Amino acid sequence: MSGHDEHRRKHNEEFLRRLIARRPDLAAKYAPLLDAARRVEEAAPGTALESLEFGAPEEPPVSIALETIVNDERPVLFVVNDRLDTKQVTIKGLEAQDLVDRMKEAEAWLAEFMPLIGRVDVSNFPGEYVGTGWFVEETIVVTNRHVASLIARHDGRKFVFKLGVGNRGITASVNTTHELDDNAFDPSRDFKVEEVLYIEPDSGPHDIAFLRVSRRATGVTPKFIPVAGADIGPEQLVCAIGYPARASKKVIPDQQLMQDLYLGRFDIKRAAPGFTMATKEGTSRHDCTTLGGNSGSVVLDLKTKQAVGLHFAGLYQETNFAVRASVLSDYITRKRWTLPLVVTAPKPKPKPEAPGVPQSTPQSTPAKTTTVTTTSGGAGTVNITVPLEISFRLGAPIIGPITATISQGQPGDASQPRTAARAEAVAVDCWKNRPSGVTGVRVGFLEEDDDTIGDVPFIAVSAPASQLAAIEAAGPNQLDGFVVRYEAADALEQLEASPDLEVSTSIMYDDDARTGEEFSFDPVTESMDLLLHVGPEYSWDVLKQFLDEASGHIVSAMYEFHAVSVKDALQSRLDDDRNTSLTLVLDNATLHSGKDPKLEIKPEELFTEWSDRYGDRFQHVIVPEGKSGLISDSYHIKVTVRDDDTFWLSSGNWKMKSSQPLITENDRLNSGEKDLPGNREWHVVVRNKTLADRFRAHILQDLQHSKTLLGQESVGPAATDIMVDVPIEETIMLERKPPSRLVEPMVLTKRRAKVQMLLTPDSEGAMYSDPVLSLIKSAKKSLLFQIPYMKTPSSPKENRGYIDELINALIDKLVALPDARVILSKSGSGLSSPTNVAWHFKSKGVDITERLRSIDKHHTKGMIVDGKRVLIGSHNWSASGVTLNRDASLIIHDADVAGYYAQAFEVDWERANPVTPKKFVKPPKNVEEAVGGEAPQGYVRMSLKEALSDE
């Protein structure tokens, strides 16, 4: 049993003890479970407790999140016309029934409070709402910091609404209806958010914010919910009222339990009864059933009829956390939103630590005091006292006059070896106590005089460039003997750290609809024909032949369709053969083509023309994305199925400038002197009916489900519409050397090969990640991997699920195998710097001199294991790339196939270069929200989609 599972087991035992103490009549039912747990623990500590009926998660470790179901004996009630529905409710135990009965007794006075609890709805935002809020004064609504931060930011003087979809300002309202089946909009219950009054700074201890809304109370109901002046004790009956949102399997492993408790209905007002638990780390706790949209929910004491908490977070099947009543009462009494924004030394955030992770405590050292003063224009003064200890704890830089008093640690004992393991321990503590604005803490390695990465570790702290100077001025230059260096975070790290721009963690993918043999992921061992080829030398030649030979239905799933040459080939087939039809399922990145009329289509004009010209022989859809979409943020697949039995699969898009360049024979003849244009890509054409049927079935299901989702009002706008300004980087990049030889296509006919189809987001990444983990672990002699970029963790001890499992498995082989090598793309540095990967590998014992190189303009995502097995496809190695984006890959078990792609790898390895150190040049710019009609000088405006793309 893992430390996380053990942690949950102890919480479950605590829950049983608490239950029995409250209800001695249930001892006969539950005491045997405690006895069984105790016997297992005494006999073999760490053994799985199969007798416990709480359903341990399928995917450890426990994930702290803003979503949780604490226990299946905690019911959730619908609210209808401000009254509790005690009939349509799932009751899973005797205590659950008792809780429902107790809620019936409180129904009359709870009905008076229901019009005071609302959903924070948003417009011009990728989603319908961001959380829950409730009235604490006639026009003042309280919610969570992490809810309000999604829609507003501080501009140095006040809180202002952020820009959202289409470069339009976000607007918000607090709507106190959204009950079961209340489809009619009631304007009298919808209150416009006029102003975000206060958001607790990230360095502050409480997840709290206040909004001012347009409202005039009627006098029929209370004007606001009273808040208790003192904190509530444990084992008191409470209920949490808010708007729970559907959670993904990654967050709630037991999806059936979630469906049962919520009866499949989400995003509407629910009341969840439960009991309080003992306060922990200054935070109130309760065991009511909640999900993500409950952020900002009121926790009501059913005895005193007062609010005793502001719900903000939870641990799956363990406990929920809320801002204490005494804190709420203090903030409301003092009208905290009217006071100057003062940030004091941050305390550890009131959330539970992941169990089993040892905490590093740096040595105490003599201190010196430095004073840094920063001034800027604007009325008002903000004084911030920011202590900085050896544990790297400092306040967040804020625009305005700042006076910071810094206690700076001195270097540790120089006699202690400066190992990577010690550096990581220091980095762990540095990250744990990071100030607001820091987006990454890594173990780096100092550069040598010959412009290579050396062996001496240091601590690399990254932050947006706009905050870097203040953070560096306030921060130490050494920690426990290790140099600390500060760098501007790359674009991807900045975007991932921005809560309003982060990708979805749950989607509306339809796994349940994909059953039967046509959707199977079982390996296929059958006779098949394979046409192996690589780009740029033969990308377009083979694709054109593949399209020209179509004589039936062409079904294509594509991230970017831009190339005029591909358009001409498809149009020719549709014009020449009336039996040919075309179905396109596309990412919205396709809509960004048309910038070069000679080489790029104008997609909307083209698709309208084709619909008129070919009628029902042509259909297409732009796939919806986000939490209410088919995928998270990219329909990144590159697969086309032709007729009944043949498909083309690739890492490359239908783009002429990069993945499908027009290469002449003369270009190929002179390629040894002048490199070919375009990306390195791996492609394959397979003739096999079983595999072709499966790909076609999935693509057509994507089409149908996308149309269903697009017909629902819940679908939010795409990341394509969120605009950001990205600084133009001026970097010196070594050009890709010409290849030593070209890799010509290889045809294998009637080859009996074993092939497994891999797709995401099926089973939230399991259909890709589990087979690839097995593939990596199967390597006995060699592993060759070519991938544009690899999103290594930006912080120590970070656990991001499958992506970290894959990276860790790869590192094990890079350390242990006789021949294990990785090629990254130099041009991928805008997403995730190759140097970050090199540092991460080196800190884990990888010889990066022999094992890692980078090359410009490569877009391949391929792996060769032991010269016998090949991974080929479109999957990027990022958190969403291996889980919630749509991508397609194959694992092919065949030595000849492996040998072919190994040739292409070796050609690129020969002309690749070592990964270079970072120069720690601090550019004066960082990624900004798009403001105004055009990007400022030195920036380029693009969609979030483009900024996050490796294309």
Side-chain angles (χ1 to χ4, degrees), residues 518-595:
E518 70 271 27
F519 295 108
S520 173
F521 289 95
D522 293 339
V524 173
T525 305
E526 297 177 356
S527 177
M528 59 188 70
D529 298 339
L530 300 103
L531 172 53
L532 318 176
H533 57 297
V534 298
E537 45 259 54
Y538 292 101
S539 292
W540 172 237
D541 297 68
V542 176
L543 177 60
K544 185 176 188 306
Q545 177 184 343
F546 171 83
L547 296 175
D548 287 347
E549 293 175 355
S551 59
H553 196 173
I554 301 172
V555 177
S556 184
M558 186 60 55
Y559 180 71
E560 288 183 297
F561 170 20
H562 293 174
V564 169
S565 57
V566 176
K567 181 267 291 186
D568 290 343
L570 291 170
Q571 190 165 298
S572 176
R573 295 309 306 140
L574 291 168
D575 286 340
D576 294 346
D577 186 349
R578 295 191 58 81
N579 292 321
T580 299
S581 60
L582 174 64
T583 297
L584 298 176
V585 184
L586 302 166
D587 187 271
N588 48 37
T590 290
L591 302 180
H592 286 282
S593 64
K595 299 173 184 177

Side-chain angles (χ1 to χ4, degrees), residues 881-903:
V882 300
T883 52
L884 297 184
N885 285 342
R886 170 58 98 207
D887 275 289
S889 295
L890 297 172
I891 295 177
I892 305 174
H893 298 248
D894 187 283
D896 288 338
V897 175
Y900 176 83
Y901 292 107
Q903 291 182 59

Side-chain angles (χ1 to χ4, degrees), residues 115-157:
L116 303 173
I117 304 163
R119 204 177 78 172
V120 183
D121 291 345
V122 287
S123 299
N124 302 327
F125 185 86
E128 283 189 325
Y129 73 107
V130 291
T132 301
W134 44 284
F135 284 94
V136 294
E137 288 191 2
E138 181 174 357
T139 61
I140 306 299
V141 170
V142 67
T143 187
N144 289 146
R145 165 178 56 201
H146 73 262
V147 170
S149 294
L150 294 174
I151 62 174
R153 61 179 176 83
H154 201 270
D155 69 355
R157 298 176 297 108

Side-chain angles (χ1 to χ4, degrees), residues 4 53 61 76 99 102 104 186 202 208 212 276 338 351 393 498 522 542 654 698-699 704 755 775 822 888 941:
H4 297 287
E53 298 175 349
V76 186
L99 288 173
R102 301 282 292 275
K104 288 180 183 178
D186 183 354
D202 289 343
I208 190 169
R212 183 175 63 82
T276 55
T338 67
K351 66 181 182 181
R393 183 173 298 159
S498 179
D522 293 339
V542 176
W654 287 351
H698 275 283
I699 297 170
Q704 295 305 319
V755 179
L775 175 67
V822 174
R941 180 157 297 178

Side-chain angles (χ1 to χ4, degrees), residues 247-312:
S248 68
K249 185 177 181 180
K250 182 178 180 181
V251 175
I252 304 297
D254 193 341
Q255 291 279 291
Q256 189 58 54
L257 172 61
M258 181 179 71
Q259 290 291 323
D260 290 347
L261 288 175
Y262 286 90
L263 297 175
R265 301 296 298 272
F266 303 93
D267 306 334
I268 56 177
K269 187 177 288 186
R270 310 296 282 267
F275 289 90
T276 55
M277 303 169 68
T279 298
K280 185 176 182 180
E281 297 181 355
T283 302
S284 180
R285 298 191 298 157
H286 65 91
D287 63 13
C288 305
T289 296
T290 63
L291 290 171
N294 280 106
S295 293
S297 291
V298 62
V299 181
L300 289 169
D301 183 347
L302 295 190
K303 181 178 180 181
T304 66
K305 305 178 183 179
Q306 293 179 311
V308 291
L310 172 69
H311 172 84
F312 69 87

Side-chain angles (χ1 to χ4, degrees), residues 804-817:
D804 285 327
E805 291 184 56
L806 290 164
I807 291 174
N808 291 338
L810 174 65
I811 287 172
D812 288 344
K813 296 303 179 180
L814 289 170
V815 172
L817 293 181

Side-chain angles (χ1 to χ4, degrees), residues 79-388:
V79 177
V80 181
N81 295 325
D82 294 328
R83 311 288 291 191
L84 300 177
D85 183 344
T86 56
K87 295 181 178 179
Q88 294 187 80
V89 57
T90 299
I91 298 176
K92 283 183 168 283
L94 295 177
E95 183 160 81
Q97 180 61 62
D98 183 58
L99 288 173
V100 172
D101 292 340
R102 301 282 292 275
M103 291 291 281
K104 288 180 183 178
E105 297 173 2
E107 183 178 20
W109 69 265
L110 283 175
E112 295 183 351
F113 283 173
M114 290 302 175
L116 303 173
I117 304 163
R119 204 177 78 172
V120 183
D121 291 345
V122 287
S123 299
N124 302 327
F125 185 86
E128 283 189 325
Y129 73 107
V130 291
T132 301
W134 44 284
F135 284 94
V136 294
E137 288 191 2
E138 181 174 357
T139 61
I140 306 299
V141 170
V142 67
T143 187
N144 289 146
R145 165 178 56 201
H146 73 262
V147 170
S149 294
L150 294 174
I151 62 174
R153 61 179 176 83
H154 201 270
D155 69 355
R157 298 176 297 108
K158 62 180 181 178
F159 291 97
V160 296
F161 287 103
K162 296 181 175 181
L163 292 179
V165 175
N167 205 28
R168 298 185 296 272
I170 293 172
T171 61
S173 66
V174 177
N175 189 299
T176 63
T177 54
H178 293 303
E179 298 175 348
L180 179 66
D181 298 329
D182 65 345
N183 296 322
F185 176 74
D186 183 354
S188 69
R189 298 281 292 268
D190 190 73
F191 307 101
K192 180 182 178 182
V193 176
E194 300 285 356
E195 183 181 6
V196 176
L197 295 171
Y198 176 80
I199 301 176
E200 181 95 341
D202 289 343
S203 56
H206 306 298
D207 196 344
I208 190 169
F210 294 95
L211 317 174
R212 183 175 63 82
V213 304
S214 176
R215 172 182 181 241
R216 179 173 295 177
T218 62
V220 177
T221 59
K223 292 183 179 181
F224 55 85
I225 296 176
V227 177
D231 296 333
I232 193 171
E235 305 306 327
Q236 301 300 307
L237 181 62
V238 295
C239 72
I241 302 176
Y243 294 84
R246 184 192 303 271
S248 68
K249 185 177 181 180
K250 182 178 180 181
V251 175
I252 304 297
D254 193 341
Q255 291 279 291
Q256 189 58 54
L257 172 61
M258 181 179 71
Q259 290 291 323
D260 290 347
L261 288 175
Y262 286 90
L263 297 175
R265 301 296 298 272
F266 303 93
D267 306 334
I268 56 177
K269 187 177 288 186
R270 310 296 282 267
F275 289 90
T276 55
M277 303 169 68
T279 298
K280 185 176 182 180
E281 297 181 355
T283 302
S284 180
R285 298 191 298 157
H286 65 91
D287 63 13
C288 305
T289 296
T290 63
L291 290 171
N294 280 106
S295 293
S297 291
V298 62
V299 181
L300 289 169
D301 183 347
L302 295 190
K303 181 178 180 181
T304 66
K305 305 178 183 179
Q306 293 179 311
V308 291
L310 172 69
H311 172 84
F312 69 87
L315 277 171
Y316 173 75
Q317 283 196 331
E318 292 183 14
T319 188
N320 287 322
F321 300 88
V323 178
R324 304 192 319 275
S326 60
V327 172
L328 282 170
S329 179
D330 174 64
Y331 273 47
I332 295 166
T333 300
R334 292 190 298 119
K335 297 186 183 298
R336 180 67 188 84
W337 54 89
T338 67
L339 303 177
L341 184 64
V342 178
V343 182
T344 57
K347 300 176 182 179
K349 290 187 177 182
K351 66 181 182 181
E353 301 286 351
V357 179
Q359 301 302 317
S360 168
T361 304
Q363 295 180 351
S364 218
T365 58
K368 68 180 182 180
T369 298
T370 306
T371 300
V372 178
T373 302
T374 303
T375 61
S376 67
T381 299
V382 180
N383 296 317
I384 305 175
T385 301
V386 188
L388 176 58

